[in-house]
């Protein structure tokens, strides 16, 4: 039976130096920070050896006071009831990370959206271009906390 | 080498146009127009779901001549049913241009009127009435199907009174 314990053991054995602050919340939930260079191999290991075959979401978080951006991966499985949360810290001025589209195909649009809203660059993404925003807004990164769009870049004020 | 016809006045395009616009013929035409307001099935936000259900059999809008159509070429009314994002606005303009005249616009829901919950958002367009000639505004988030039907009836009244913006008289 593969549960959160088993997955953490397997991950720490394969990547002894790359995991930190790992926390098992229950049989089904595991949270961990991963080094940014290791995330591709960790995801590959999860898919190939641990049957975690469902990337349920991938998103960004902005922490301006730590001067960091985080990419958060929620990886689940169709075979056993676990949801793994992996987080990667990136520097705010040069956020760049390996794309995982070649492992989980549905990461494609998640990464495009995270790119246009937070400005996180995904290396080796097949087609990194804006998904929901117009091309002219590229570079504004509207979901970063210091975005000052209003009133010049948002919709017009009525009053 | 035809015969010369005397005492016959030929009509011109402008004479036909004058006849249609300045005589009660216009009222008859408008009566026909108002009773066949086919609207475009073009749901854009959560209001779009209400719009679709309005077009379904439960609310029976056919009794007013209001029928959902799938193609802009066959539609008379476009219902802006939800938020207009900056990305979608060019497509919406294009759909509007594809519709044959006379055509009307109904703004449904707070989003399309003033921004609604997406007021001051970075990705939506506000003040749709500056972009399109809107005839009827239906407030609500979302408006009930009955409200949409009432909006159509208000549009019918405007057409009969020749107060609508969709046709130039
Ligand atoms: S007005 Fe309300 S229901 Fe309609 S599209 Fe906007 S948020 Fe959705």
């Amino acid at each position: 039976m593969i549960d959160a314990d088993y997955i953490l053991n397997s991950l720490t054995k394969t990547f002894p130096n790359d995991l930190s602050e790992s926390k098992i919340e229950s049989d089904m939930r595991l949270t961990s920070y991963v080094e940014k260079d290791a995330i591709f191999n960790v995801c590959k290991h999860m898919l190939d050896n641990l049957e975690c075959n469902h990337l349920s979401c991938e998103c960004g978080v902005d922490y301006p006071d730590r001067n960091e951006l985080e990419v958060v991966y929620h990886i689940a499985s169709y075979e056993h009831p676990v949801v793994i949360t992996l987080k990667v810290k990136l520097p705010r001025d040069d956020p760049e990370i390996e794309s995982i589209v070649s492992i989980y195909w549905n990461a494609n649009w998640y990464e495009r959206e995270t790119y246009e809203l937070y400005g996180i660059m995904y290396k080796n993404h097949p087609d990194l271009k804006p998904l929901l925003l117009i091309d002219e807004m590229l570079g504004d990164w509207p979901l970063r906390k210091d975005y000052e769009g209003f009133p010049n870049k948002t919709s017009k004020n009525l009053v | 080498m035809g015969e010369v016809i005397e005492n016959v006045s030929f009509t011109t395009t402008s004479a036909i146009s004058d006849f249609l616009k300045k005589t009660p013929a216009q009222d008859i035409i408008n009566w026909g127009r108002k009773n066949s307001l086919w609207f475009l099935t073009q749901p854009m936000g959560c209001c779009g779901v209400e719009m679709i259900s309005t077009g379904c059999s439960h609310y029976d809008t056919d009794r007013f001549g209001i029928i959902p159509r799938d193609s802009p070429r066959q539609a008379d009314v476009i219902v802006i049913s939800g938020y207009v994002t900056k990305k979608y606005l060019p497509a919406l303009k294009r759909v509007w241009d594809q519709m044959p005249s006379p055509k009307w616009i109904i703004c449904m829901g707070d989003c399309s009127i003033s921004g609604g919950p997406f007021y001051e958002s970075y990705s939506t367009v506000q003040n749709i009435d500056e972009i399109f000639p809107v005839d009827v505004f239906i407030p609500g988030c979302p408006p009930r199907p009955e409200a949409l039907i009432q909006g159509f009836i208000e549009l019918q009244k405007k057409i009969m009174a020749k107060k609508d913006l969709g046709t130039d008289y």
Side-chain angles (χ1 to χ4, degrees):
Chain A
M1 174 71 181
I2 294 184
D3 59 4
D5 246 337
Y6 181 93
I7 289 176
L8 182 59
N9 279 339
S10 161
L11 285 179
T12 34
K13 219 177 288 164
T14 332
F15 306 96
N17 304 321
D18 294 326
L19 299 195
S20 55
E21 299 176 45
S22 308
K23 200 165 69 187
I24 291 181
E25 288 161 12
S26 73
D27 284 351
M28 308 196 287
R29 294 303 304 253
L30 163 67
T31 315
S32 183
Y33 279 93
V34 183
E35 288 305 312
K36 114 180 183 198
D37 299 328
I39 186 69
F40 186 85
N41 290 332
V42 169
C43 288
K44 201 163 177 51
H45 178 74
M46 300 252 290
L47 178 67
D48 291 347
N49 304 328
L50 297 171
E51 295 179 339
C52 291
N53 42 15
H54 174 60
L55 175 74
S56 61
C57 91
E58 175 178 351
C59 57
V61 191
D62 186 17
Y63 291 102
D65 29 326
R66 279 174 13 210
N67 205 18
E68 271 171 353
L69 289 166
E70 278 184 7
V71 185
V72 184
Y73 303 80
H74 283 91
I75 300 176
S77 167
Y78 291 117
E79 316 301 331
H80 32 81
V82 285
V83 180
I84 318 291
T85 310
L86 299 178
K87 300 182 183 182
V88 181
K89 290 179 185 167
L90 299 173
R92 210 150 173 279
D93 25 322
D94 181 28
E96 203 178 50
I97 191 170
E98 192 68 30
S99 160
I100 58 162
V101 177
S102 50
I103 306 170
Y104 297 107
W105 62 272
N106 61 329
N108 193 326
W109 279 21
Y110 297 146
E111 292 185 351
R112 277 172 65 185
E113 192 176 355
T114 317
Y115 163 62
E116 68 182 353
L117 295 175
Y118 291 92
I120 294 168
M121 300 295 299
Y122 288 92
K123 280 183 281 178
N124 300 327
H125 187 285
D127 189 16
L128 197 60
K129 63 181 188 198
L131 173 69
L132 302 170
L133 299 183
I134 48 176
D135 290 351
E136 293 81 63
M137 284 182 71
L138 200 64
D140 290 356
W141 318 136
L143 281 200
R144 285 200 189 185
K145 296 236 164 83
D146 54 2
Y147 176 70
E148 289 178 349
F150 187 79
N152 295 330
K153 290 194 179 152
T154 57
S155 337
K156 207 159 105 200
N157 203 343
L158 290 175
V159 277
Chain B
M1 298 286 274
E3 289 174 44
V4 178
I5 308 173
E6 282 172 19
N7 298 328
V8 173
S9 61
F10 291 94
T11 56
T12 57
T13 318
S14 72
I16 297 174
S17 157
D18 277 356
F19 169 74
L20 291 180
K21 282 180 180 169
K22 292 178 182 161
T23 61
Q26 182 68 53
D27 289 336
I28 297 170
I29 293 170
N30 275 359
W31 177 82
R33 280 175 180 166
K34 97 168 194 319
N35 281 317
S36 68
L37 290 179
W38 295 3
F39 70 92
L40 182 61
T41 320
Q42 193 253 145
M44 290 158 57
C46 6
C47 281
V49 182
E50 299 290 311
M51 186 189 83
I52 293 169
S53 69
T54 311
C56 290
S57 55
H58 182 79
Y59 293 97
D60 192 22
T61 48
D62 326 10
R63 63 203 150 121
F64 306 110
I66 302 163
I67 302 173
R69 299 301 302 189
D70 289 336
S71 161
R73 306 275 185 209
Q74 302 165 343
D76 302 304
V77 180
I78 181 169
V79 182
I80 300 189
S81 51
Y83 34 78
V84 183
T85 58
K86 286 178 184 162
K87 187 134 185 169
Y88 190 55
L89 183 64
L92 187 64
K93 278 185 182 154
R94 189 161 179 172
V95 167
W96 171 245
D97 288 343
Q98 282 177 348
M99 289 168 54
S101 273
K103 51 190 177 179
W104 297 274
I105 285 205
I106 293 179
C107 263
M108 178 187 190
D110 290 354
C111 281
S112 51
I113 296 174
S114 64
F118 305 98
Y119 186 69
E120 296 182 0
S121 161
Y122 54 85
S123 68
T124 58
V125 186
Q126 268 166 225
N127 300 8
I128 300 297
D129 53 325
E130 290 175 3
I131 304 170
F132 296 108
V134 182
D135 269 313
V136 180
F137 295 91
I138 309 171
C141 182
R144 286 192 54 85
E146 289 87 343
L148 181 58
I149 294 175
Q150 193 191 351
F152 273 107
I153 289 172
E154 295 298 325
L155 178 60
Q156 292 182 337
K157 285 184 193 157
K158 274 184 102 169
I159 293 173
M160 271 324 268
K162 300 186 191 171
K163 292 265 165 52
D164 57 297
L165 305 174
T167 356
D168 60 318
Y169 292 110

